[in-house]
Amino acid sequence: MPVRRTLRVLRRYLRVLGRRFEHWSAPARRQWRRSLQLRIVALTLVASSLLVGAFGFFVAERSAKILLNRAQDEVESSMAGKLKYSVSQLSVHRQDRDPRLPQTIKTTVDTLADGDRAESGGSIVSMRADQFPEIAPYTAGKTPTGDLITPELIRAVSRDGKKAEQVRTADVGGQKTKFLVYGTPVPTNFGHVELYYMVPLTTEDSAANQIRTTVLVTGLALVILLGVIAGLVTRLVVLPVRDASRTAQRLSAGLLDQRMRVDGEDDLALLAASFNQMAANLQRQIVRLEEMSRLQRRFTSDVSHELRTPLTTVRMAADLIFAERDEFDPAVARSAELLQAELDRFESLLTDLLEISRFDAGFAALDAEHTDLVPIVERVADRLTGLADRVGVTLELRLPETPVIAEVDPRRVERVLRNLVGNAVEHGEGRPVQITLATDESAVAVTVRDHGIGLKPGEERLVFNRFWRADPSRARQTGGTGLGLSISAEDARLHGGWLEAWGAPGEGAQFRLTLPVRAGDRLLSAPLPLIPRDRLPTIEAPVVPVAPDETAEVF
């Protein structure tokens, strides 16, 4: 139990530290993601640091090795002369018990040392006779050689009779000094003694340290210089890119006269010039399209208004003929009925065109008031019951028992529902149409579900286009104009709501109207799913909101 408790506490502290680290490092990580210049400079510094570090290590180690090899060559050369002199001095003694032998050893060592004592930083000469214990070792000077002449070196020289060398560190005068220690056997008439020559590597160490320091300082300066150069070069490239990004943002915001600055004749200047040419072409095309759209809207509005007066006159004459049709011949009477029906459709088309022109001109206004949507849905169903009976469709209402109050424009909501239910009846193939109303704290939704021919993939994006029809050869039952769903989508946007479509071939379609309970509120979710619940496990048809709010959550 204590171990588990300790592990839990440790994990808790690790999580807290992790969250704090993420919080503290968030600005740096954000800057790393957003700054191309920072990433290039950082990568350049890392790569150059590794390269310069590896090169500097190689140069420093190689230089130290060269200095050491040179010192070894000098010591070997000096050692050869000292060995020759020692052999000549000790060859006069026939046996190790010669009483003059210690004095000869002392004189020889002092001569070899040449008065250069270790106290002043000079070399050290020592002679030992490990195989003859009665012969005392002698060292020129007072420097202890216990740390320099190791048992391994003595064994190699004395017992094996080989030349040997070591690099050792000893304390001389309170300072650590590195020595190159050479040992060689000195042949005599009674055997051999050992001659040890210890040369301080102070000069070589100092030179190696200076080389390392020089390499380190030069490497740091080179890395910093490379970083500065990378930053300057990257800045030359990034600044035009940033300028292009800012100019593109201004262009997307509608400031079509924005251009990049062109400096020089290099690739970046060519990029800026090409960008400016593209912006100019886009500006001309957009202005042209805006002018064409304005002329088209004006033409539609003017034609719609101009047709209103003659249509009223024709309507009055047609109503008079239609009222007296019983007194005409059957063929004339039938013509009067057809004339009345087509005039009704023409008047409806003219009304829709006027409504579309108001939307295009931005003159459509929302007359919102607190309204109960239940009576609106019932009224739409009652008005379309006759049409549903003629085509054999049953309207099924699924309404809450309590009032559903929302701040909406009742005329526009009724028009949207009339278009949705009318289309469902027309394309329902004689199967039932379900109309469902639901609400929550922030939104109300109405779904209209039919089980007719459905929609092909991608058509849920097209149904809201003006004059679009899934099957142009299909005869209309309601005499529609082809603008109903387009006007309905505009009505939904005017409320700040959504009008969405789902469909699958042979499985019907469902339209969902979602409106905020309070006018001006932002929709985040809908109380009813767009895809019917009986199709959720299998249907993968795309869900396409008509409203421009991309943050909306679609169920």
Side-chain angles (χ1 to χ4, degrees):
M1 290 302 292
V3 175
R4 292 182 179 179
R5 187 179 298 109
T6 302
L7 291 177
R8 284 199 300 270
V9 173
L10 181 61
R11 285 196 297 268
R12 188 181 302 114
Y13 277 111
L14 289 177
R15 285 196 296 269
V16 171
L17 290 177
R19 286 194 293 268
R20 289 184 178 179
F21 176 76
E22 290 181 358
H23 176 71
W24 292 335
S25 62
R29 288 186 283 110
R30 189 184 307 112
Q31 187 67 20
W32 174 266
R33 291 192 304 267
R34 294 180 177 180
S35 177
L36 176 63
Q37 184 178 12
L38 175 62
R39 291 200 299 272
I40 293 178
V41 171
L43 293 177
T44 302
L45 288 176
V46 172
S48 59
S49 298
L50 294 176
L51 182 61
V52 170
F55 179 74
F57 177 80
F58 173 76
V59 170
E61 291 299 317
R62 185 64 180 169
S63 301
K65 188 173 182 180
I66 291 174
L67 293 173
L68 180 61
N69 290 337
R70 188 178 65 181
Q72 289 174 340
D73 293 340
E74 293 178 356
V75 170
E76 286 180 359
S77 176
S78 177
M79 193 67 174
K82 296 180 184 304
L83 176 61
K84 184 177 180 180
Y85 179 77
S86 300
V87 170
S88 64
Q89 294 296 316
L90 296 178
S91 61
V92 298
H93 301 282
R94 299 293 180 182
Q95 56 182 339
D96 59 321
R97 299 183 182 277
D98 190 338
R100 296 175 299 171
L101 181 59
Q103 183 62 34
T104 303
I105 291 176
K106 179 178 181 301
T107 304
T108 302
V109 170
D110 289 340
T111 303
L112 293 176
D114 294 329
D116 187 11
R117 298 293 185 260
E119 292 82 358
S120 60
S123 60
I124 303 174
V125 180
S126 177
M127 187 173 289
R128 305 167 64 98
D130 190 63
Q131 295 180 354
F132 306 100
E134 65 277 5
I135 301 177
Y138 179 75
T139 301
K142 299 180 181 179
T143 303
T145 59
D147 293 337
L148 299 177
I149 304 176
T150 61
E152 292 80 8
L153 183 63
I154 295 174
R155 189 181 306 111
V157 177
S158 175
R159 298 182 185 180
D160 300 338
K162 299 178 180 179
K163 292 182 179 180
E165 64 177 271
Q166 285 183 342
V167 177
R168 301 289 297 174
T169 302
D171 190 358
V172 177
Q175 294 182 352
K176 294 290 185 181
T177 305
K178 187 181 294 185
F179 282 85
L180 177 60
V181 182
Y182 260 81
T184 182
V186 179
T188 62
N189 293 326
F190 53 85
H192 69 266
V193 296
E194 301 89 48
L195 176 64
Y196 297 97
Y197 186 33
M198 291 151 278
V199 179
L201 298 177
T202 307
T203 303
E204 288 75 7
D205 258 0
S206 177
N209 290 333
Q210 290 179 358
I211 292 174
R212 293 190 186 95
T213 302
T214 303
V215 169
L216 178 61
V217 173
T218 305
L220 288 177
L222 181 60
V223 168
I224 295 174
L225 181 61
L226 288 176
V228 173
I229 294 175
L232 293 177
V233 173
T234 308
R235 182 180 177 84
L236 294 177
V237 178
V238 169
L239 285 181
V241 174
R242 291 176 180 173
D243 187 22
S245 176
R246 288 191 295 267
T247 305
Q249 290 176 357
R250 297 190 189 103
L251 289 174
S252 65
L255 302 176
L256 302 180
D257 58 341
Q258 296 295 310
R259 297 294 184 270
M260 290 182 61
R261 187 177 61 183
V262 180
D263 293 329
E265 299 178 357
D266 55 7
D267 295 336
L268 294 176
L270 180 61
L271 172 63
S274 301
F275 186 92
N276 292 340
Q277 183 65 32
M278 179 190 68
N281 293 335
L282 287 176
Q283 183 180 15
R284 284 195 297 269
Q285 292 294 331
I286 291 174
V287 171
R288 178 172 171 269
L289 291 175
E290 287 180 347
E291 182 66 18
M292 292 177 59
S293 177
R294 186 185 64 81
L295 292 176
Q296 182 182 10
R297 290 196 301 268
R298 182 175 179 180
F299 174 79
T300 302
S301 178
D302 292 345
V303 169
S304 301
H305 283 88
E306 291 298 329
L307 288 177
R308 176 64 67 183
T309 300
L311 178 62
T312 303
T313 304
V314 174
R315 164 63 72 182
M316 292 173 61
D319 289 343
L320 181 60
I321 295 173
F322 184 76
E324 301 295 334
R325 70 184 183 281
D326 293 338
E327 299 178 2
F328 301 149
D329 294 336
V332 178
R334 178 57 181 164
S335 299
E337 292 174 356
L338 292 176
L339 176 62
Q340 186 72 13
E342 290 304 317
L343 279 175
D344 290 340
R345 187 181 175 204
F346 185 68
E347 189 173 14
S348 177
L349 175 60
L350 187 60
T351 302
D352 288 346
L353 286 174
L354 289 173
E355 187 68 23
I356 285 291
S357 66
R358 280 192 288 270
F359 279 119
D360 290 341
F363 294 150
L366 186 68
D367 188 12
E369 59 185 46
H370 289 87
T371 306
D372 185 3
L373 297 184
V374 175
I376 295 179
V377 176
E378 293 175 342
R379 186 162 59 249
V380 170
D382 290 340
R383 291 181 178 178
L384 293 174
T385 299
L387 173 63
D389 292 340
R390 286 199 305 270
V391 297
V393 172
T394 302
L395 299 180
E396 300 178 358
L397 299 182
R398 301 174 181 176
L399 308 177
E401 298 179 357
T402 58
V404 178
I405 306 298
E407 193 175 355
V408 297
D409 187 335
R411 179 182 65 86
R412 296 184 184 277
V413 172
E414 185 173 349
R415 179 167 61 189
V416 173
L417 296 179
R418 187 166 60 247
N419 284 324
L420 297 181
V421 177
N423 286 338
V425 170
E426 182 179 353
H427 299 89
E429 301 291 327
R431 299 185 181 93
V433 172
Q434 291 89 29
I435 306 172
T436 306
L437 173 64
T439 184
D440 57 19
E441 295 180 356
S442 60
V444 295
V446 181
T447 59
V448 178
R449 170 82 160 104
D450 68 73
H451 302 81
I453 59 175
L455 297 173
K456 298 177 183 179
E459 289 185 346
E460 64 278 349
R461 296 178 178 271
L462 303 176
V463 292
F464 301 103
N465 292 345
R466 299 174 183 179
F467 300 108
W468 183 85
R469 295 182 67 184
D471 184 5
S473 64
R474 183 182 179 90
R476 292 186 181 271
Q477 302 293 331
T478 60
T481 63
L483 297 172
L485 288 179
S486 178
I487 295 175
S488 299
E490 296 292 344
D491 284 334
R493 289 192 184 97
L494 196 60
H495 283 84
W498 310 328
L499 182 57
E500 303 156 279
W502 166 90
E507 298 180 359
Q510 177 162 294
F511 288 76
R512 181 179 69 180
L513 173 66
T514 309
L515 303 175
V517 171
R518 291 169 294 276
D521 286 358
R522 186 179 185 183
L523 287 178
L524 298 177
S525 62
L528 290 174
L530 175 61
I531 303 176
R533 290 188 174 89
D534 58 338
R535 303 308 304 160
L536 280 174
T538 58
I539 290 298
E540 296 182 357
V543 175
V544 181
V546 173
D549 186 0
E550 297 180 355
T551 61
E553 179 181 358
V554 180
F555 290 85

